Amino acid sequence: MFLSLRAEVESALETALSALDYPTDDLGIEEPPEDVDSVLASSVAFRLAGEAGAPPPQVASAVADEIDADELTYVAAIETQGPYLNFLPSEAYLENTLETATAADYGALEDRKESVVVEHTSANPTGPVHVGRARNPIIGDAVANLLDYAGYDVDRHYYVNDAGRQMAVFTWAYETFDEDDLEGEPERDRPEYDLVRYYRKGNAFLENASEPKVADAEAEIESIMQGLEAGDDEAYERVSEVVDQVLGGMKACLARLPAEFDEFVKETRFMRNGDTDDLVARLKELDEAVYEDEAWQLELDAHGIEKNLVFLRADDTSLYPTRDLAHHEWKFEEYDNAVTVLGEDHTLQADQLRTTLELLGNDTEGLRQVLYSYVNLPEGKMSTRRGTGVDLDDLLDEAIDRAREEVEERMDDRIRDDDLGDEDVERIAHQVGIGAVRYDIVSKQPSKAITFEWEQALDFEAQSAPYVQYVHARCCGILEEAGLDSAADLEGQDVDLESVDADLLETPEERELLETIARFPAVVEEAADDLQPHQIATYTRTFADRFNAFYRECPVLAEDVDPEVREARLALVAASKHTVANALSILGVAAPRSM
RNA sequence: GGGCACGUAGCUCAGUCCGGAAAGAGCGUCGGACUUCUAAUCCGACGGUCGUGGGUUCAAAUCCCAUCGUGCCCGCCA
C-alpha cells in the first residue's frame, strides 16, 4: 500500500511541478519525522526557492495548491508546514492496508521471474562450526529468506572446499593416526567433534615432528593433492570419507539455527568435470596472464588491483581462486543472480574474482557480495585448527538453557494462569533462546565488528528477539481468545471483513500501527534491494513499539467495546500478527504462539 | 608502507548509500504502573562538541579533503 501511495505522490508532485514550470529531476520525497502527522513528505521547495525567487514556504504552498487531493486515491490532503509538503493518508489507504494485511502472506512481493543463488557459510569442513563464523549462516539465511520474500526464486548453496591443502592434511591425518594418538574425548557425540581431533593432531605433527617424518607426511599430502588435481576417483573417495562425515555434523549444527541448504556444491566437482582445466587454458590466453616466479599469474594492476592472482602452480596444480572462477561461471549459467556472503577478510579475493570473471567475458552485474566482519573473542580470534573459540552448539545450548530458566521463573508470577505444559516450556525455550542469538546478530550491520560476550549475546531484554516475539504471542492470544485461528487468513473465518471499517480505527495508536503495517512491503523491497536484512530487524522494533502502544490504549475484547470497533480491531490484530510473523520469518526467528 | 571497513549517550546499537523538520532506541541509574486481551510489557526522569579539524550547501551524523584511533587484508592457505 505504501508503495502505491509513494507512486501516487511521485506522479502528483511531478505533474504539479511541470505545471508550474519547475524541474522535476529531484522531488525531495522523504519520510517525515515521527511527530509529523503525514506518511510522506517533500522538501522540494528548498531546491526551487532560488529558481522561483520566492522563499521556500511560499513555493511549498504554491505547489500544494497545484495538487488536487480529491483526484488522489490514497492521499487525503496536502498540507504545508513551513517549507515542507506533507501528504496525509486517506481512509482508502488505511482501508486497503487493513484488507491486504489480513492475508497470511502479507509483505511477500510479486514474483520477479528471476532466480538467485545465495551462497553462504561455506566453512571448510575441518571441524565444529564456531561462533566466529556464526554470522555467516545467520546473515546468509536471512538474505536468502529476504530475497525469497521479495519475489526471487532462491536457491541456497554451501560451497564445500574439499580440494584444498587443508583437506589433504586432514585426510592424511585421519588415515595415519589412531584413536590412541589423539588427545581427549570428542566434546560431543557428532562426527565433526570426533574427527577434528585428527585434524588438530595432524597440524600439530607437521609443526613439531622431526624433519624426515614431516617430509614423509608432506609427500603423502602432496600425492593426495595431485590425485585430486588429476581428478582421479581414488583420491576423491579418500578425501570424501573425511569431508562427508564432518560436513554431515556441521549440517546438523546449522540445522539448529535453522539454516538449510538446497545444495552442497563441492569444489572437486569442477576439477573432475574438466571445467578447471578449461578455465586455466582460457586464463593463459588473457593479455594479463604471465608466467613469473615459476607460476602462472594474472596481473590485475591495470584494473585497480595491485596483487597478482596466481592461478596455476609450477606443478600444474590449481588454486582455490582458479576453481572458484569455474564455480562462478557455472553459477552464471544456472542462475540470473548470484549473492555470496563472505567474511571481510575475503574482500581482496572478491575483487579479484569479479575482475577476472569480467576479463573472461562474463557479465558480473548479477554478482553481489555481502561482507561481514568476524566475531572475535575478547582475547582474540577463534580458530578451528588451534581449538580456540566457542562452538556454535555450545552457544545455542547455553541460550536455550537460559531461556528455559527465564520461562520457568516467569511462570511463577504470571497473571494469567494458562496451561503451559512441559512441551510448551521446551518449545518456548528453543524459540526464545535461538531466536535471541539470531536476532542479536542479524539486527546489526554486518560491517560492524562484534566481540563475543556471553552476557550480551544472551540478553533477553528489550530490543532483542523476545521483545518482538512477545508481540506475536500477544496477537495470537487475542485472536485465539476471540475464537479465531491465528495462523490462517482472516478471510473465511468468523469475521465479516466486508463490514470492517477502517474509519472505526480512530485513535492515534490505531492509525499509527496501521501506517506502520502499511510500510512493511516497502521495507522488504528496500532491504532486498540493498541485501540488508538488518533493516527488517529495525522495522520489527518500531513495529513492536507501535503495537504495544495500541495494546495499551485499545482493548479489543473488553465488554464495553462496540461490536463493530471490536471487529475492526480484531482485523488490525490479525494484520499485525501476519506482519510480525512474516518479518520474523525473514529473519529466521521463530514466532511463538504463546510465551 | 598501501588498500578496505568501522568510530553516534557510561555500554550495545538504529539513522549515513539517496543531505532536509530542534539527534532516536535499548541496557544501566532513579521514580512510577499487574482485581484489565500475557508485566519477556508500559509510563516518566537523567544522559550527546555524532572521533577531531577544515570544506561544499539555504541545510551536514549523512557529501568532499585532511587527521587520529581500532579492526581486516596485502600467502604458489582457503
Side-chain angles (χ1 to χ4, degrees), chain A residues 490-554:
Chain A
L490 262 199
E491 224 165 296
Q493 295 200 53
D494 193 21
V495 177
D496 185 7
L497 278 181
E498 295 299 313
S499 69
V500 165
D501 194 347
D503 267 347
L504 298 168
L505 303 173
E506 53 192 5
T507 66
E509 287 79 15
E510 289 166 306
R511 298 183 75 90
E512 279 185 17
L513 176 57
L514 202 43
E515 283 168 18
T516 305
I517 290 171
R519 280 179 44 233
F520 182 50
V523 173
V524 170
E525 183 180 72
E526 192 173 338
D529 286 348
D530 297 346
L531 299 176
Q532 292 184 342
H534 85 270
Q535 290 182 14
I536 302 291
T538 303
Y539 173 78
T540 61
R541 274 200 291 265
T542 314
F543 176 85
D545 288 345
R546 295 286 157 77
F547 182 85
N548 285 326
F550 160 76
Y551 186 89
R552 183 183 73 240
E553 298 297 331
C554 307

Side-chain angles (χ1 to χ4, degrees), chain A residues 273-283:
Chain A
N273 70 4
D275 282 3
T276 305
D277 291 339
D278 293 348
L279 196 109
V280 164
R282 284 164 60 212
L283 286 172

Side-chain angles (χ1 to χ4, degrees), chain A residues 15 21 63 68 106 138 164-165 169 229 297 324 430 471 533:
Chain A
T15 312
D21 245 4
V63 175
D68 184 1
Y106 178 63
I138 290 171
R165 186 185 141 81
V169 169
E229 193 66 34
Q297 336 196 347
D324 203 24
H430 273 78
V471 165

Side-chain angles (χ1 to χ4, degrees), chain A residues 200-222:
Chain A
R200 289 181 184 140
K201 173 74 187 171
N203 276 294
F205 182 91
L206 293 176
E207 271 176 40
N208 304 323
S210 65
E211 253 178 64
K213 283 186 177 170
V214 170
D216 287 350
E218 289 290 358
E220 183 59 28
I221 291 164
E222 175 66 21

Side-chain angles (χ1 to χ4, degrees), chain A residues 99-158:
Chain A
E99 207 177 311
T100 319
T102 46
D105 68 344
Y106 178 63
L109 306 183
E110 213 172 305
D111 187 357
R112 301 199 190 209
K113 311 247 183 289
E114 244 183 271
S115 62
V116 57
V117 55
V118 176
E119 180 201 326
H120 70 83
T121 308
S122 303
N124 289 355
T126 50
V129 181
H130 61 65
V131 172
R133 293 267 147 68
R135 260 182 141 169
N136 204 318
I138 290 171
I139 293 170
D141 193 55
V143 166
N145 294 339
L146 178 57
L147 291 173
D148 185 26
Y149 234 80
Y152 291 92
D153 185 11
V154 179
D155 267 1
R156 297 143 199 262
H157 284 190
Y158 186 121

Side-chain angles (χ1 to χ4, degrees), chain A residues 222 225-226 229 311-319 323:
Chain A
E222 175 66 21
M225 287 180 71
Q226 287 288 353
E229 193 66 34
F311 62 89
L312 196 67
R313 299 184 180 99
D315 62 3
D316 268 355
T317 53
S318 61
L319 290 93
R323 295 165 229 134

